[in-house]
Amino acid sequence: MKKHILILLTGISLLSCNSKSEETNSTGIEPKTKVETVQIKGSETVLPLTQKAVEEFANVDSQLKLIVTGGGSGVGIAALLNNTTDIAQTSRAIKFGEKQKIEEGGNTVKEIIVAYDALAIIVHPENKVSNLTREQLEDIFTGKITNWKEVGGEDLKIVPYARETSSGTYEFFKESVLLNKNYLSGIMSMPANGAIIQSIKQTKGAIAYVGLAYLNKDVKAVHVSYDGGKTFIEPSFANAKNKTYPVVRPLFYYYLGNSESKVKPFIDFLLSPTGQEIVDEVGYVDLR
Amino acid sequence: MFRKLSNRFIKQLLTFSGAVTGIAILFISFFLFKEGAGLFKTSTIEKGYVLIVHSANPVGKLSSHQIKEIFDTEITNWKAVGGKNQEIRIFRIDDIFNEYSKTEIGENYEHLSEKLAEVIQKNEGIIAFLPHQYAPINSPSVKELPAGNISVSDYFLGKEYLPTATPAPLFGVLPLLFGTLLVSIMAIALALPLGLGVAIYISELADERIRKFLKPVIELLAGIPSVVYGFFGLVVLAPIVQKTFHLSVGETAFTGSIILAIMALPTIISVAEDAMRNTPRAMREASLALGATQWQTIYKVVIPYAKSGISAAVVLGMGRAIGETMAVLMVTGNAAVIPTSIFNSVRTIPATIAAELGEAPAGEAHYQALFLLGCILFLITMVISVAAEMISKKKNFKPV
C-alpha cells in the first residue's frame, strides 16, 4: 500500500517539476523575440479579406502574431467592449449606443475604412426585368409592389428575400435603399449569401441582394438607378470602383485609442498599396 | 487500506462532478433568465436616443407600433394618432446637414443642439429622432416624448417581430411561437407513424441479421450534422415541395417539418424499439401458445406493454424537433408572420436565436429579447422532458 502512495507522490512531484521547467523555458526565450498577439474578431463579410491580409502580413512582419475569428459584426464590437479583441471588423458602422458604452469607460474608438463592398440586386435568371429604380426597390422590399407585372415583368408574385435582421448587410440595405423604412413584415430571410443564391436560383419570383463577390451565373443581377430611372448602372467591379454604381458600403475596422501602437503596423499594411491589392483579390473594392 | 481510500476518493470525485454539473446547469439557467428579464427594464426607444416633437403638439405618448408606422410613412398625419390635423414630418439627425452647412453646425458639433432647436421650432408637425446628447431638451418649443419600458404584453402578445426597427424595435413573440409549434407538431405527425412502423419491423419481424444491420444504420442517422440535413433540405427538398404543390416558394413550414421528421426518426425508432424488445419473452410465448397470430401478438400484447416507452419516444422526438436549430434555419424561409397554412414560411425560436445572437449588440434590447426567447424554449423543452420522464416511469400494464 505504502508503495502505491509513494509512486503516486513521486508522480505528482515529477509532474510539478515538469511544469516548472517549462515555465522557466518560456520565460527564458521571451526576451529574445518578443511576439505580440493581436486579436481580430467580427463580421463574416470582412473575414476572408482579413484572413488573406494576415497571411501576407506574416511574410512582412513576424513580430506581430494575428489571430482572426468571425462571429458577426455585433460579436466583434461586443468583444471590443469587453476588451477581448484588439480590432473589431464590421460591415456596419458602430451604433451610437455601442460607441457611448466604450466612451463611458474612458476609452476612445477609432474607425478605419479598409475597403468597400458593392451589393448586387439579384433575381431568377429567367426573370425578364433587368432594370429597377431605387424607388421600385423600396416598394418591393417594403411590400407595396407585390407583382412583377407592376415593374414591367410577367404576371408573377414577387418573393423578396433579405439577410438576417441583425446582419450588417441587412442594416446597410435598409438605410441605403429603403431610406430607413422597415422591410415588409414577414420577409423571407436567409442566414448566408450562399443560401440566398440557392433560393433565388430555385424560386422564379424571387429577388434579393448579395455582395458582388458572390455573384454567379445561377442568378441575374439587375441594373439599378438612383436618379429616378435616367441611368441604370450594372453592378460590376469597374462601376463600383469609379463610383457610378450606387449601392456600395464601407467595411470597417474599429479599435480602441489606447491600443493604437499595437495594431497600427497591420492596419498600415492593409491600407498600403500591397494591402489594397489583397482587397481586389478577395473581391472587394479597394480604397483607391 | 489503500483500496478503501481510493474507493472513498472515487466516491468523492463522483459526488464532486455531480455537484459541479448541477451548479453549472443552475448557473446557466439563472444567467438565461436574468438576461431575459432585463428586457422589461429596457426603454422602448433605441438606447442613447430620444423622440422629440414640437411643444404645441398635443400628442403625449406613442406606442412602439405607432412609432414604427410613422417612421415607415404609413401614418402621415398627426390626426391618426390623436393629434391635430397636421402633416407629420420625420426628422433624423442626418437631415440637419441638408439644412445647415458644416461651418454653421461647428467643427465639433458645438452648435448642433441650437440648430436642431431652430428646426423644431419652425415645424410644428415634426417628429425628430435624435441622439440624447445633442437633443435640445431645454428649448421651450421642444417636447420630449416619454419612452416607457417594453411591456410584458407587447412581448408575449405582439404579432410583429422587427427587432432592429428604429426608433422603436418590436419584439412580438407570437409569430415565432406559432411557427415553432406548427413545425414541430407537424414533424411529429409525419415521423410518428413511420417511426413506429420501422420500430415494429425491427423488433418483431426482421430476422436477426437484418436487425443487426438496420439498427446501427438508423442510429447513424442521428450522427449526421444538422447543417447537412439543412443543406439537403434547401437544395433537394425545397424545390420538390415547390413543384409538387405549385407554390411560389419552396422554403415552407412543411419542408421544415419533413426535415425535422427525418431528424427525429432515429430517436423515435430506437427508443420505441428498445421498449418493445423489453416485452418479456414469456408474455409473447403465452400469447402465441393461446393461438394468437404474430400480428395479434404484436398489437394486443407487445404494443400495450411498451406503451409508456413508445410515448416517451414520441415526446423525446418532439423535444428534438423543437430544439433543432440549423436545419430549420435553412429550410423554413424564416418569415416572421403568424402562419395561416402549412405552406407558409415560418420562423422558429431556435432559428431566430441562432441567426441573430451573433450580431445583436450585447446587453441591449435585442440581445435581451433573444435571451427571453431562450427562456421560452427552455420552458417548453423542460415541460416536454418532464412529461417524457413521467410517462416512461408509468407502468399501466399489469403483468399477469
Side-chain angles (χ1 to χ4, degrees):
Chain A
M1 299 280 165
K2 270 187 185 162
K3 227 173 161 185
H4 282 288
I5 297 173
L6 216 74
I7 291 172
L8 208 78
L9 282 179
T10 43
I12 291 170
S13 58
L14 268 176
L15 275 173
S16 56
C17 269
N18 260 349
S19 60
K20 244 183 207 163
S21 60
E22 261 169 44
E23 260 171 45
T24 46
N25 263 347
S26 62
T27 46
I29 286 170
E30 223 176 313
K32 283 178 207 160
T33 52
K34 197 176 169 226
V35 178
E36 268 203 282
T37 53
V38 170
Q39 294 259 6
I40 307 179
K41 226 178 247 181
S43 162
E44 303 282 344
T45 311
V46 194
L47 187 64
L49 168 62
T50 309
Q51 267 169 341
K52 186 90 198 205
V54 163
E55 271 171 40
E56 300 279 321
F57 183 68
N59 302 332
V60 187
D61 187 341
S62 55
Q63 300 296 90
L64 211 57
K65 194 172 164 249
L66 295 117
I67 301 162
V68 193
T69 40
S73 302
V75 168
I77 290 177
L80 196 66
L81 257 165
N82 305 331
N83 254 323
T84 52
T85 186
D86 299 298
I87 299 177
Q89 46 181 2
T90 72
S91 58
R92 63 162 166 87
I94 192 167
K95 289 205 170 139
F96 190 79
E98 292 168 333
K99 197 173 173 182
Q100 229 177 12
K101 229 183 227 170
I102 292 175
E103 283 169 359
E104 269 167 25
N107 271 322
T108 50
V109 201
K110 295 274 161 88
E111 174 187 290
I112 301 268
I113 294 177
V114 292
Y116 289 94
D117 178 23
L119 285 190
I121 318 294
I122 53 171
V123 294
H124 191 270
E126 280 170 31
N127 198 324
K128 278 189 222 127
V129 177
S130 52
N131 288 337
L132 286 171
T133 65
R134 189 204 63 74
E135 289 77 10
Q136 285 172 330
L137 285 171
E138 181 190 316
D139 286 349
I140 287 173
F141 280 91
T142 54
K144 288 191 187 85
I145 296 180
T146 54
N147 198 307
W148 282 110
K149 198 165 65 177
E150 294 168 63
V151 290
E154 53 188 310
D155 185 6
L156 186 72
K157 197 181 156 216
I158 298 183
V159 186
Y161 281 81
R163 284 291 304 282
E164 275 308 327
T165 50
S166 44
S167 95
T169 318
Y170 174 98
E171 282 292 308
F172 167 73
F173 191 81
K174 184 170 138 187
E175 271 164 39
S176 165
V177 180
L178 311 187
L179 301 184
N180 279 313
K181 293 186 186 68
N182 284 304
Y183 291 84
L184 70 134
S185 76
I187 189 166
M188 310 273 289
S189 60
M190 280 288 149
N193 281 310
I196 290 239
I197 297 263
Q198 187 65 37
S199 295
I200 300 295
K201 186 178 138 191
Q202 285 162 193
T203 310
K204 250 192 128 193
I207 181 167
Y209 50 86
V210 289
L212 205 52
Y214 289 91
L215 268 191
N216 62 16
K217 53 183 182 317
D218 291 332
V219 294
K220 185 170 108 176
V222 173
H223 298 207
V224 181
S225 163
Y226 261 44
D227 54 8
K230 271 178 239 150
T231 47
F232 287 92
I233 314 287
E234 185 192 357
S236 69
F237 283 107
N239 287 341
K241 228 168 156 175
N242 64 25
K243 302 209 164 111
T244 47
Y245 185 70
V247 199
V248 172
R249 62 166 169 171
L251 304 175
F252 300 94
Y253 271 13
Y254 287 98
Y255 58 91
L256 298 179
N258 54 15
S259 58
E260 180 148 18
S261 58
K262 192 173 159 194
V263 301
K264 202 78 183 145
F266 177 64
I267 290 180
D268 283 344
F269 169 76
L270 191 51
L271 298 179
S272 73
T274 356
Q276 290 296 304
E277 256 165 51
I278 300 172
V279 171
D280 279 354
E281 265 172 57
V282 179
Y284 294 123
V285 182
D286 62 57
L287 301 170
R288 287 171 290 180
Chain B
M1 199 271 272
F2 181 69
R3 182 158 298 159
K4 243 187 208 164
L5 208 70
S6 71
N7 271 352
R8 194 197 276 166
F9 177 69
I10 288 172
K11 208 169 149 192
Q12 261 165 6
L13 195 74
L14 293 180
T15 320
F16 176 72
S17 58
V20 166
T21 322
I23 290 170
I25 291 171
L26 276 180
F27 184 73
I28 290 172
S29 6
F30 174 74
F31 173 72
L32 185 67
F33 281 90
K34 194 191 125 246
E35 288 287 337
L39 180 70
F40 303 121
K41 294 189 198 109
T42 311
S43 151
T44 45
I45 291 172
E46 203 183 318
K47 209 175 170 188
Y49 284 85
V50 284
L51 268 183
I52 278 172
V53 292
H54 195 276
S55 54
N57 196 328
V59 176
K61 203 171 169 26
L62 290 172
S63 72
S64 304
H65 191 75
Q66 284 169 330
I67 295 173
K68 182 217 150 204
E69 294 207 312
I70 288 174
F71 277 82
D72 278 355
T73 61
E74 274 161 38
I75 294 178
T76 53
N77 196 305
W78 281 110
K79 214 165 68 177
V81 289
K84 296 178 203 166
N85 185 8
Q86 197 170 42
E87 191 95 355
I88 297 180
R89 182 174 167 215
I90 297 165
F91 191 86
R92 287 190 169 85
I93 183 81
D94 295 327
D95 299 334
I96 191 83
F97 300 104
N98 302 333
E99 302 205 6
Y100 293 93
S101 69
K102 261 249 147 80
T103 46
E104 278 177 288
I105 292 165
E107 192 79 350
N108 297 314
Y109 305 126
E110 52 265 24
H111 303 301
L112 183 57
S113 199
E114 15 176 321
K115 297 293 173 209
L116 286 171
E118 267 176 46
V119 171
I120 294 163
Q121 200 169 5
K122 270 187 275 173
N123 299 288
E124 234 183 85
I126 205 165
I127 180 162
F129 175 53
L130 306 171
H132 194 270
Q133 66 183 113
Y134 296 121
I137 299 168
N138 300 322
S139 166
S141 57
V142 161
K143 185 166 82 172
E144 186 187 335
L145 281 184
N149 287 350
I150 293 167
S151 76
V152 178
S153 65
D154 275 354
Y155 185 84
F156 287 103
L157 303 174
K159 292 190 187 109
E160 264 186 300
Y161 182 77
L162 279 169
T164 51
T166 47
L170 296 170
F171 296 110
V173 84
L174 280 188
L176 309 183
L177 196 61
F178 281 123
T180 312
L181 293 178
L182 174 68
V183 171
S184 30
I185 289 170
M186 205 157 50
I188 286 301
L190 291 172
L192 191 58
L194 202 61
L196 280 189
V198 177
I200 291 172
Y201 172 74
I202 293 180
S203 92
E204 305 299 319
L205 306 173
D207 68 50
E208 195 58 25
R209 261 184 317 166
I210 295 179
R211 199 186 85 85
K212 276 208 170 127
F213 168 74
L214 217 53
K215 189 133 195 239
V217 165
I218 285 168
E219 273 158 12
L220 204 66
L221 275 179
I224 297 176
S226 63
V227 203
V228 177
Y229 279 110
F231 196 64
F232 170 80
L234 180 63
V235 176
V236 181
L237 203 60
I240 295 177
V241 170
Q242 187 180 1
K243 273 185 203 120
T244 339
F245 298 100
H246 305 289
L247 305 170
S248 55
V249 234
E251 295 107 16
T252 61
F254 183 66
T255 326
S257 47
I258 292 178
I259 284 292
L260 281 185
I262 297 172
M263 294 176 75
L265 270 180
T267 316
I268 295 180
I269 293 173
S270 95
V271 176
E273 198 256 359
D274 282 343
M276 285 182 205
R277 284 182 71 81
N278 276 340
T279 313
R281 197 189 165 134
M283 289 181 67
R284 263 183 249 249
E285 282 173 354
S287 161
L288 292 173
L290 285 172
T293 60
Q294 195 179 19
W295 175 234
Q296 284 168 331
T297 310
I298 291 172
Y299 82 93
K300 285 262 163 90
V301 176
V302 178
I303 290 182
Y305 185 85
K307 208 155 88 187
S308 66
I310 292 170
S311 320
V314 173
V315 178
L316 282 177
M318 180 114 178
R320 172 116 168 90
I322 282 195
E324 174 46 44
T325 307
M326 209 49 220
V328 211
L329 180 60
M330 296 185 81
V331 296
T332 53
N334 302 312
V337 273
I338 295 177
T340 50
S341 114
I342 56 167
F343 296 118
N344 277 136
S345 287
V346 294
R347 189 179 183 91
T348 68
I349 292 177
T352 306
I353 299 175
E356 293 175 6
L357 197 56
E359 307 264 2
E364 283 177 30
H366 186 191
Y367 181 84
Q368 291 163 332
L370 291 178
F371 271 93
L372 207 56
L373 281 181
C375 297
I376 295 176
L377 198 63
F378 175 78
L379 290 178
I380 296 177
T381 39
M382 199 173 72
V383 166
I384 288 176
S385 34
V386 168
E389 190 74 9
M390 276 160 58
I391 291 168
S392 59
K393 268 193 190 143
K394 205 160 107 190
K395 280 258 182 275
N396 49 8
F397 191 90
K398 288 192 188 73
V400 193

